[in-house]
Amino acid sequence: MIRMGRVEATGGFFLLLAWLNYLDRTLVVPMALAACAAHELGHIIVIRLAGGGVKGMRLTAVGAELILDRPLSYWQEGLAALAGPGANLLLALIFCGFKGAAVFAGLNLALAAFNLLPVGRLDGGRALYCALALLAGPAAADRAGRWLDCLCTAGALGAGALLAVCRGNITLLLIAFWLLALIFRQNFYSFHQNKPCQRGRKKVQ
């Protein structure tokens, strides 16, 4: 049985949900919420299998934050971070073979691909940080993470601006600004620590 404490949702989460629901004309939002729920369930299952527990969940405009009852080791946290995208990739593989389920499969694939980007608070960045911390220590992992954050975000900003000017498509530009907001938030809260999972919480998208 999977047990979890309280679930807290911020005003930004409800505003984003209302805005997306207002724009939605093809029931994409409910399917996206189902994909996100599967993503979080993947995280929670692996956390439980690793011997950890989840005290609660905080829903914000930039993702969901699971609050753990105790810190995890680097390898446990890395596996837990990859479990969310893994669940989405599994659903994408399953539903791509069903007629009429292409949109749901595509949403899961997009969610997995986005979260596997090697950027700080995303699952890919967290898993990479844990792997580097195990191999070279947390200080080296911090340095590599900061460089990758800057390179990936700068590349996304440049490509997004070019796409917006040439094609009029601002999707990638919005994603780049989202990544930039994640980096600023990460630096503000001093996300990476010199001890494994000292913060006792994990951030997922």
Side-chain angles (χ1 to χ4, degrees):
M1 180 181 295
I2 298 175
R3 295 180 179 178
M4 190 173 64
R6 67 177 188 176
V7 177
E8 175 188 351
T10 65
F13 170 78
F14 287 113
L15 286 174
L16 178 63
L17 189 62
W19 180 60
L20 292 175
N21 188 61
Y22 174 77
L23 296 176
D24 185 27
R25 296 293 183 271
T26 56
L27 298 179
V28 171
V29 170
M31 288 188 287
L33 289 176
C36 291
H39 182 101
E40 299 304 325
L41 185 60
H43 287 305
I44 294 170
I45 289 174
V46 173
I47 290 170
R48 293 289 297 171
L49 290 175
V54 179
K55 293 194 300 184
M57 177 187 293
R58 189 168 185 266
L59 304 175
T60 71
V62 294
E65 185 177 72
L66 298 178
I67 304 172
L68 308 186
D69 61 359
R70 67 173 181 82
L72 299 176
S73 66
Y74 283 128
W75 73 268
Q76 289 173 329
E77 184 179 1
L79 288 177
L82 293 175
N88 293 128
L89 288 174
L90 180 61
L91 286 178
L93 182 63
I94 293 172
F95 281 92
C96 70
F98 289 92
K99 185 178 179 180
V103 174
F104 184 64
L107 285 170
N108 277 280
L109 183 60
L111 185 61
F114 175 70
N115 275 280
L116 286 174
L117 290 174
V119 179
R121 294 181 73 89
L122 297 181
D123 294 326
R126 294 177 58 80
L128 180 61
Y129 173 82
C130 290
L132 290 174
L134 283 171
L135 294 172
D142 278 330
R143 290 193 298 270
R146 284 194 293 268
W147 276 103
L148 279 172
D149 287 352
C150 294
L151 287 174
C152 290
T153 305
L157 282 170
L162 185 63
L163 190 62
V165 171
C166 297
R167 301 286 185 177
N169 189 326
I170 63 170
T171 303
L172 183 57
L173 191 60
L174 291 176
I175 291 174
F177 280 119
W178 192 346
L179 294 176
L180 194 61
L182 289 176
I183 291 174
F184 276 120
R185 189 181 181 195
Q186 169 185 309
N187 292 332
F188 180 78
Y189 287 106
S190 300
F191 181 71
H192 291 321
Q193 303 291 333
N194 289 329
K195 295 181 180 179
C197 303
Q198 186 177 15
R199 55 197 172 277
R201 40 172 83 210
K202 64 183 300 295
K203 174 69 178 171
V204 292
Q205 297 299 329

